[in-house]
Amino acid sequence: MYDRRLLEPVSTLIALGLLVIGCIMILLPFSSALVWAAIFVFSTRHVYWFINQKLGGRNWLSASLLVLAIFGLVVLPLMYAVLSFGGVTSDYVIRLTSHLQGGMPTLPQWLVEIRWVGPTIQEWWEKLVLGDPAVRQQVNDAVMVVLKSLLKFGAVAGQGVGMLVLSCFVSLFFYAGLPSVTQWLQTGVRRLSGGNRRAESLLAVAGGTMQGVVFGILGTALAQGFLVGIALLIAGIPSTAGLTFLAIVLSLVPFGSFLIWGPAAFWLYQHDQMYMAIFMVVWCAGIAGSADNVIKPLLIGQNSNLPFILIMLGILGGAIQFGALGVFLGPTLLALGYSLAKEWLYGETQE
């Protein structure tokens, strides 16, 4: 016969395990929104504490005001930019189709005169005009790739905006319950560490690294994208809202915003707006570019004891392994490992 004293704790553990698995399966579809909300609330907790103190400790009122501010300043402009980008893309496709129905245009003279590649481009274009089957097939394949990429980008952008809306809704409850959650987290860390300050120190390292990455990556991308958008607006570039949204997204990659303001400056130059093209280059490369080259390393490094090279490797490796959330998880995990390694080598916790 089975020993009842052994059977009861085993059955209890199995029941708890099934309960945990069930909870995870229920929350799994919302995991991205939950993690994003948790990261964002943690990174902006000091702003919440400031507002809450000014309002006399009214948790729900403070949380509602902060979430409304975030929604109005971040989510609504991104939603407008996504819709604007979709409308601009459709408009360009219609214009291109109607333009091609009137006959194939001739190539610009400056393109034909480019050394080495100009004659090859002209020969390929002439074959396209004459209806060469191989060249037309190449064009059709390229158009299909572009259309599929645009559709995929639109789907991803729409999904991202939807996740931001859901994250704002979840953040409302996270902010309102932040005092209780903070107390639970601190109590849990003390119990797990047995009163040792090591776990609290590692928690502080993880929090500082994650906060630095949030401000360094997302904050810098938003700042750089909006600065590029200001230059586009001043220069009178069409579809400023959609291009600003693309500049914000591309600014997540070093020097990615150049793909927006570089062609814009060239477009201005081609339309005999030399001074405006120079302004575009100076503003975007000098002022907007400083956000990526100066502000980002300072913001990330200021909140973490992790060397900057490991932070960049953590961002890239985390993004490759875990997607968008890996941008934050990668440096955080490396920071924890780095702190544990230093503590093991030197025999003390590195604050």
Side-chain angles (χ1 to χ4, degrees):
M1 295 181 66
Y2 294 103
D3 189 351
R4 187 171 182 177
R5 291 176 299 178
L6 178 63
L7 183 61
E8 287 182 355
V10 170
S11 60
T12 302
L13 289 175
I14 293 175
L16 288 175
L18 293 175
L19 178 62
V20 171
I21 293 173
C23 294
I24 292 175
M25 292 179 64
I26 292 173
L27 295 177
L28 191 59
F30 311 102
S31 59
S32 296
L34 291 171
V35 174
W36 279 113
I39 291 174
F40 195 78
V41 169
F42 178 81
S43 302
T44 58
R45 65 192 185 280
H46 298 298
V47 179
Y48 169 78
W49 291 126
F50 176 78
I51 297 175
N52 194 33
Q53 183 180 6
K54 294 297 183 181
L55 295 178
R58 296 180 175 88
N59 295 339
W60 281 102
L61 180 59
S62 304
S64 301
L65 291 177
L66 185 55
V67 169
L68 285 175
I70 294 170
F71 191 82
L73 295 175
V74 178
V75 179
L76 283 181
L78 287 178
M79 290 176 65
Y80 174 76
V82 171
L83 295 175
S84 176
F85 175 74
V88 168
T89 303
S90 302
D91 184 53
Y92 279 158
V93 171
I94 294 173
R95 287 184 182 181
L96 180 61
T97 303
S98 61
H99 186 70
L100 292 178
Q101 287 178 352
M104 299 294 291
T106 57
L107 291 176
Q109 189 63 28
W110 63 266
L111 183 61
V112 176
E113 293 178 353
I114 297 178
R115 184 174 298 181
W116 297 310
V117 298
T120 303
I121 296 175
Q122 184 178 18
E123 181 182 359
W124 183 87
W125 189 259
E126 290 176 352
K127 290 181 180 180
L128 177 62
V129 173
L130 295 175
D132 185 275
V135 175
R136 285 192 173 274
Q137 185 61 39
Q138 294 176 0
V139 173
N140 291 332
D141 294 341
V143 170
M144 290 301 298
V145 170
V146 172
L147 290 178
K148 289 181 180 179
S149 300
L150 289 175
L151 290 174
K152 185 176 180 180
F153 178 79
V156 171
Q159 183 180 6
V161 172
M163 187 185 65
L164 281 177
V165 174
L166 182 58
S167 297
C168 286
F169 179 72
V170 175
S171 298
L172 176 64
F173 296 89
F174 281 2
Y175 278 126
L178 191 58
S180 300
V181 173
T182 302
Q183 185 178 0
W184 291 346
L185 184 60
Q186 292 174 348
T187 303
V189 168
R190 293 193 191 100
R191 287 185 176 274
L192 290 174
S193 61
N196 195 334
R197 293 184 56 84
R198 176 187 302 174
E200 295 183 9
S201 176
L202 292 178
L203 184 63
V205 170
T209 302
M210 187 173 295
Q211 182 173 320
V213 172
V214 169
F215 291 145
I217 300 297
L218 294 184
T220 305
L222 285 171
Q224 189 174 12
F226 279 122
L227 286 173
V228 173
I230 291 173
L232 297 174
L233 183 63
I234 294 175
I237 301 295
S239 311
T240 301
L243 292 176
T244 301
F245 168 71
L246 284 179
I248 293 173
V249 175
L250 292 174
S251 295
L252 296 171
V253 182
F255 309 106
S257 63
F258 172 77
L259 298 176
I260 300 298
W261 62 263
F266 183 75
W267 183 85
L268 291 170
Y269 172 77
Q270 288 295 313
H271 286 75
D272 297 327
Q273 300 185 43
M274 173 67 71
Y275 293 107
M276 195 58 70
I278 294 175
F279 161 75
M280 178 73 67
V281 173
V282 172
W283 176 276
C284 295
I287 299 178
S290 65
D292 188 58
N293 301 325
V294 178
I295 301 177
K296 183 186 293 184
L298 290 177
L299 286 176
I300 295 178
Q302 187 178 12
N303 293 277
S304 175
N305 63 350
L306 190 66
F308 185 69
I309 181 63
L310 290 182
I311 292 176
M312 295 306 300
L313 292 177
I315 292 172
L316 296 176
I320 294 172
Q321 294 295 330
F322 305 108
L325 289 176
V327 172
F328 308 100
L329 297 179
T332 303
L333 293 176
L334 283 184
L336 293 176
Y338 180 76
S339 297
L340 287 173
K342 291 181 70 174
E343 181 181 354
W344 179 71
L345 288 174
Y346 299 107
E348 58 182 2
T349 302
Q350 300 295 321
E351 300 291 342

